[in-house]
Amino acid sequence: MSRFEAKKPSLCKSEPLTSERVRATLSVLKGIVTSCYGPLGRLKQLHNGLGGSVCTTSQSSALLANLSVTHPILKILTTSMQNHVSCFSDCGLFTAILCCNLIENAQRIGLTPSTVIKLNKHLLRLCISYLKSEACGCRIPVDFSSTQILLCLVRSILTSKPASMLTRKEIDHISTLILRAFLLTIPENTEDHIILGESIIVPLKGQRVIDSTVLPGILIEMSEVQLMKGLPVKKSDSLKVALFCASLSGDLSDTGEGTVVVSYGVSLENAVLDQLLNLGRQLVSDHVDLVMCQKVIHPSLKQFLSMHRVIAIDRVGVALMEPLSKVTGSQPVGSLGSISPSSYGSVKDLCTAKFGFKHFFHLIPNEATVCSLLLCNRNDTAWDELKLTCQTALHVLQLTLKEPCVLLGGGCTETHLAAYIRHKTCNEPESILKDEGCNQTELHLITEAFCSALESLAASLEHDGGEILTDMKYGHFWSLQADSPSIVNWPDLLSRCGCGLYNSQEELSWSFLRSTCHPFAPQTFLPHEAAGSANYLTLDCFTAKLNGLQVAVETANLILDLSYVIEDKN
Amino acid sequence: MNEKRHMGLQQLASFAETGRTFLGPVKSSKFIIDEERHESVLISSTVRLLESLDLTSAVGQLLSEAVQAQNNTYRTGTNTLLFLVGAWSSAAEECLHLGVPISLIVSVMSEGLDSCIEEVVSLQVPVYNVFDHMDNTKTFSGFETFSVSLGPFHQIPSDAGLIQKKHNLKDVASQSLTIYSLSGRPVKSPKLFRHQAKVEVDKDTSQTPQTLKNSLLADTCCRKSILIHSRHFNRTDNNQQISKPDGFLEQHGAATPKTYRCNDLVELEMGLSHGDHSSMKLVDNAIRLQYQNANMQQGNRTMPFMFDISRIFTYCLPGLPEAFSCVCPGYITVTSISSTTLIKELQNQPVRVVLIEGDLTENYRHLGFNKSANIKTVLENTKVQQDSSEELWINHVLQVLSKFNVNLVLAQGNVSDYLIEKCIHSKRLVIGSVNGNVMQAFAEASGAVQVAYVTQVNENCVGNGVHVTFWGSIPLDVVDMVDRMAIMLKTEGINLVTVVLTSPVTAHMQAKEDRFWTCAYRLYYALKEQKVFLGGGAVEFLCLSHLQILAEQSLNKRNQVCSGWLRNTSSWLASSLALYRPTVLKCLASGWHRYLSTLIYNTASYSSEFEASTFIQHHLQNAIDSGSPSSYILNECSKLNSGIFNSGISNKLEQIARVYDIVTPKIEAWRRALDLVLLVLQTDSEIITGLGHTQINSQVSEGFLFL
């Protein structure tokens, strides 16, 4: 007997943003992301409260993936952040904080959403065209003939994730490794278009970070029993490889529903094993030297192969299949039938290596654009964080290769951009007013909201109660101890700006970031030698930040535009 | 989301407090009682403690994760780790109370520990050539013979050493062939060693502050005169002079006075035993057996002997007096008494062996094999044989075994009882649950190849020459082994040593096994790294005094030096670093202070921790006043009875030996401890995800926030 229940009516709420609860949860979310931001950010412990594993992190990707949000407005926000992070890896927190700031500021000024949205869009266009223009004063072109800028970029990313628990020496070591791993993925002879290889991160938990290393080729973990069997002598200058994605364990492939009836004396297992051994015979007669299988190989087949001096490596895992196929040039075989000769590939050499307590097969390909980054860290939490960080850094390097420039980090880009926008709208408001059809006051209020959103984003880098200043020449970010005595000795109290490009000794004047100051024109056109002058610059990925800016503004606009939330309660 | 203010640090400190008594050579055990199940465990190590505690909170999880990681990687150092976690979380909390910004605590503490780690390099003692004197009959046997054990050194004419060293210089290639016939083992290439030493020199010169170095220079001269008084050091001093032609020691001596070296196995083991002589004696016996075996295997080897810890196997026999603990070559296990006659028959002949990787049962399938559930076998014939399929399988196994004339089967997994019984009838011995390393050793020594199924067995897989005997060193009637007996399996030249551990108290068995492995791993790392620290708190004391000096230095000359301490940050923190640095360094140092005073208090020579603490304070002042803590420590160490670094272990003067510590595991334990504290310190909130939601709902009042 089935029972029908009357459908519940849908729930409709108007003006969701005005509700107290939504504001409260938004500010909690903002509190979380803001407190995580930057190299001095605070960490969060994520766990399920039931004794599951604990993840200590300050990265947006780990944070957003684990946050369970309930309100639709927050869902919009977290989903668009996650989309950004999945495409660009970096600048997730930047995007989230900026978006929250924009929503908060827009609510405070109390103008109609449509005006705010219209002008926000215009200001965003201004920002983007400035950042992309030659005149941009916070962008540095990347010179791929030297490692300096790239190393700074990687180092900035590593430094901004404190939960990886690296010391300064370890940061230098890992940055070099990441850069080397990235360079190993670039093919040597480039024709029309470059196809980048892949860096595989191999875990080695519990060892010292300083023991991490990069090797060209692929590392496959193996047991000690396998090590005992040793490697056969190489017959020629390369090894012939067969790669299987089908299981060779000898079990019956899915028999579907129902029962298979077998008469007594017939053994299906033996039948499959015979098939496997036939396959083995073919491999041997095809002079294959190395058989790799994603899943398990039946011990009898292994024994047969090793008797014929064929190396069998099983349980390679799905993650390695694509790089293996790419490196060896072999087609993964998915059936136990006969194998077409074209699916075989080759590798240059195979040797064994030992790192920590683990033994590995080291596959050395003919043309290597695949490398293995053997990553060590002291404990699981820190290792997970370091792995995410390394992936981010490698991705950022790829993005930088596509768009060879970087932005100044450490809050300087944000304050500089805010100063530029303020100056621009103050001095040339006519075109905007005409285009968008709004009045001077509205423009002023919204510009102020937009710029202060950027500035308080920069100010979120401070977590220990310091004051934020900006200089009136470059519009860069400076931090100062709270309650500092007087303006006179500011040059002595301040050392360098956030990105490390300028120091305080060069005749600058400062003002507090949150004070209302007269709009000024920050110096544009970064001199070429600027990039080479400082050794330790804090840099950000250009592509990721630009996209983050767009996503933040567009998401904020979307959320501001919401006038009804309709929930289906069934 | 649960907002909290450094409850984490307090939690850490209170967890760590439980492990306070494990520090040092004199440990007190604990009883852990499970009130629900009325079970209790006796424990005396951090790992076992954390295994028994309920650590469901996030911080507790992180703590146990850190301890597990240390234990899995190094098997030692967990007590230190736990204690320092506690000491430093209190220290970090103290800093918070004093108003130091969190980011500064993090960077100063982390750099402070780095600086300590660089500093303690001067207390490293190189370990090498320890196997040179192995052929002597001298073995490790506790304190009684230790003074005697110095004897052999004096028997070697002092010229011999000199000739050796000179030869090394002239001809590196020939050394292994000719010179070392004396000892039967080539010395590690001097070239290599020199290289290593140079690296250390470079480090030292770059990192020791100038003032300190000068005082060290001055100190080297005066210290020599002191050392000569010690009979113990006459030889090391000689060595230094001898090796001067090498060119490095001179140079080295200029940077750091390092006249210590350890090239005697017994001395090393003594130093690393940390008071647990009975376990170390077993380790000593084991390594000697391995060494002899290795020597027999290859008469004139070129490979240096390595202590292979994976080929040591422990076997626990609870219920016997401790005195029955012993070390034997080969594999010792127990079998049921029903195979007595079988073993009697087998024991006079070499038998052939098969090694099975998994279980030896009919239903066993290799890992990764998925059995289809929906296959049904039907009988077409009604007059089929009565045999069950298991019987068929057993018959098949027996056929294979008899075909290849195999009398012994070792399986890593379980073995069907029925099969064992059947095999006994056909004069074959089957042993299940054999350790993987043991299987390896038998595979190497007998030539057998491990297989997953009996059907795989062919002539190439069968091993030869295994001897099966009763293991007779224990009078069986003593034990309540009514239906079991111990047997020994051995092959000519098998690289496997079984350590039989006995204890009259069953509850102690686990602890005893743990202690054995701790000693074994300590020795293993000492030999592997070829260096040890001066132990007994010497390194920690140097850290303490080094941090005190750093703190005072930064008090005196503010705004200097520390530019590098906060990583290329342009934050205001960099400029206010000098203000807080002394405070944080002192707090970090107080962690070492607590460590040392607990250590000394635990060794029971002081009646209160306060007394121990003042004792340390006194020495600390001396060390700082002397201008060079490291040479002060070296000095104190050389006075064997001075009390600070050798205190409490023994009262009798002639029985005091030097205490050593292992290097990397110790330093890693420090780092892990500090990492954990700083990780928790930087955490400002806990986010509970997923299903926990509904439960939390009921306790809204406690400051939870929802998203």
Side-chain angles (χ1 to χ4, degrees), chain A residues 549-567:
Chain A
L549 186 66
Q550 285 178 38
V551 169
V553 176
E554 276 157 21
T555 311
N557 281 349
L558 180 67
I559 290 173
L560 287 173
D561 208 13
L562 285 177
S563 47
Y564 290 100
V565 173
I566 301 167
E567 270 179 288

Side-chain angles (χ1 to χ4, degrees), chain A residues 415-434:
Chain A
T415 48
H416 177 89
L417 200 59
Y420 169 82
I421 296 290
R422 253 203 208 103
H423 176 76
K424 184 99 176 160
T425 52
C426 183
N427 282 15
E428 318 160 14
E430 299 81 17
S431 65
I432 307 173
L433 294 177
K434 203 174 73 195

Side-chain angles (χ1 to χ4, degrees), chain A residues 270-284:
Chain A
N270 284 344
V272 178
L273 184 58
D274 283 341
Q275 203 182 353
L276 284 177
L277 290 176
N278 277 332
L279 187 76
R281 273 177 218 112
Q282 198 203 334
L283 290 168
V284 170

Side-chain angles (χ1 to χ4, degrees), chain B residues 53-127:
Chain B
L53 288 184
D54 177 33
L55 295 175
T56 41
S57 73
V59 171
Q61 287 250 332
L62 288 175
L63 176 66
S64 85
E65 190 188 292
V67 169
Q68 286 298 335
Q70 171 79 16
N71 188 49
N72 292 341
T73 323
Y74 299 109
R75 298 294 191 98
T76 170
T78 48
N79 295 334
T80 305
L81 170 63
L82 184 67
F83 187 88
L84 286 178
V85 164
W88 283 333
S89 36
S90 318
E93 232 186 328
E94 179 66 24
C95 289
L96 282 180
H97 283 308
L98 295 172
V100 185
I102 289 177
S103 312
L104 272 183
I105 304 177
V106 173
S107 59
V108 175
M109 282 201 168
S110 144
E111 300 277 342
L113 184 64
D114 267 1
S115 166
C116 284
I117 289 170
E118 282 159 10
E119 188 66 19
V120 294
V121 171
S122 64
L123 291 187
Q124 277 179 13
V125 177
V127 172

Side-chain angles (χ1 to χ4, degrees), chain A residues 123-133 417 421 542 546 549-550 554:
Chain A
L123 295 176
L124 175 65
R125 276 200 298 278
L126 274 184
C127 288
I128 286 170
S129 63
Y130 174 64
L131 289 175
K132 283 186 168 170
S133 75
L417 200 59
I421 296 290
F542 179 80
L546 204 66
L549 186 66
Q550 285 178 38
E554 276 157 21

Side-chain angles (χ1 to χ4, degrees), chain A residues 25 28-29 32 35 40-54 56 63 66-71 74 159 162-163 165-171 205-208 224-225 228-229 247 249-252 255-265 268-269 296-300 303 307 315 357 378-381 462 464-467 479-482 493 495-500 536-538, chain B residues 1 4 56 58-59 61-62 65-66 69 72-74 101-103 110-111 114 118 310-311 357 365-372 374-380 384-385 387 392 437 440 443-444 449-453 456-458 460-461 524-525 564-565 567-576 579-580 664 668 671-672 674-675 678-680 682-693 695 705-707:
Chain A
T25 46
V28 171
L29 183 69
I32 293 175
S35 62
L40 303 176
R42 302 286 183 257
L43 313 178
K44 303 284 168 281
Q45 285 171 348
L46 294 165
H47 62 110
N48 61 6
L50 305 168
S53 70
V54 182
T56 311
L63 211 55
N66 284 305
L67 274 185
S68 41
V69 291
T70 43
H71 200 277
L74 276 103
T159 320
M165 299 307 287
L166 302 184
T167 64
R168 209 167 20 148
K169 233 186 271 170
E170 289 165 348
I171 285 193
K205 296 181 192 179
Q207 301 289 317
R208 295 180 301 172
E224 210 173 336
V225 182
M228 284 283 301
K229 289 177 182 159
S247 167
S249 73
D251 48 10
L252 301 168
T255 42
E257 281 181 33
T259 314
V260 178
V261 179
V262 178
S263 60
Y264 187 83
L268 290 177
E269 280 178 34
V296 176
I297 302 182
H298 194 285
S300 295
Q303 188 186 23
M307 262 162 46
R315 287 197 248 173
F357 284 110
R378 285 184 196 87
N379 58 47
D380 288 4
T381 318
E462 175 58 56
D464 295 291
E467 298 279 1
S479 88
L480 179 74
Q481 185 167 7
L493 288 172
S495 53
R496 288 201 155 274
C497 69
C499 65
Y536 283 85
L537 289 180
T538 304
Chain B
M1 196 180 91
K4 51 162 202 169
T56 41
V59 171
Q61 287 250 332
L62 288 175
E65 190 188 292
N72 292 341
T73 323
Y74 299 109
I102 289 177
S103 312
S110 144
E111 300 277 342
D114 267 1
E118 282 159 10
S310 69
R311 292 304 156 82
E357 271 173 345
R365 294 292 177 271
H366 56 274
L367 228 65
F369 182 93
N370 300 317
K371 229 170 179 183
S372 306
N374 52 359
I375 291 179
K376 195 170 155 192
T377 306
V378 291
L379 303 178
E380 287 167 348
V384 276
Q385 51 274 67
D387 294 357
L392 275 178
N437 288 331
Q440 281 288 339
E444 274 168 33
V449 178
Q450 298 186 41
V451 291
Y453 297 112
Q456 281 177 270
V457 174
N458 59 31
N460 296 330
C461 304
Y524 170 74
Y525 280 107
W565 280 54
R567 171 172 47 240
N568 67 301
T569 178
S570 47
S571 163
W572 59 274
L573 294 168
S575 37
S576 58
L579 185 68
Y580 294 113
T664 310
E668 280 298 292
R671 262 253 89 94
R672 274 180 222 270
L674 190 64
D675 271 6
L678 298 184
L679 202 65
V680 172
Q682 289 178 83
T683 305
D684 67 344
S685 46
E686 230 176 286
I687 297 171
I688 298 164
T689 57
L691 298 167
H693 242 289
Q695 293 163 7
L705 299 164
F706 290 100
L707 285 174

Side-chain angles (χ1 to χ4, degrees), chain A residues 430-503:
Chain A
E430 299 81 17
S431 65
I432 307 173
L433 294 177
K434 203 174 73 195
D435 286 356
E436 308 294 346
C438 58
N439 64 41
Q440 182 86 41
T441 333
E442 283 171 340
L443 177 62
H444 177 74
L445 279 174
I446 289 165
T447 309
E448 209 36 60
F450 189 89
C451 292
S452 80
L454 275 174
E455 283 170 344
S456 57
L457 166 64
S460 320
L461 284 168
E462 175 58 56
H463 299 277
D464 295 291
E467 298 279 1
I468 308 299
L469 307 178
T470 180
D471 66 275
M472 312 299 278
K473 183 176 177 192
Y474 306 108
H476 274 211
F477 173 99
W478 304 77
S479 88
L480 179 74
Q481 185 167 7
D483 314 321
S484 291
S486 73
I487 290 180
V488 187
N489 51 5
W490 273 4
D492 297 329
L493 288 172
L494 304 166
S495 53
R496 288 201 155 274
C497 69
C499 65
L501 196 59
Y502 302 112
N503 77 47

Side-chain angles (χ1 to χ4, degrees), chain B residues 42 48 51 316 505-515:
Chain B
L42 186 69
R48 302 285 168 204
E51 270 175 12
C316 294
V505 187
T506 315
H508 254 305
M509 208 63 248
Q510 178 84 70
K512 195 162 165 56
E513 194 179 5
D514 289 346
R515 271 162 42 204

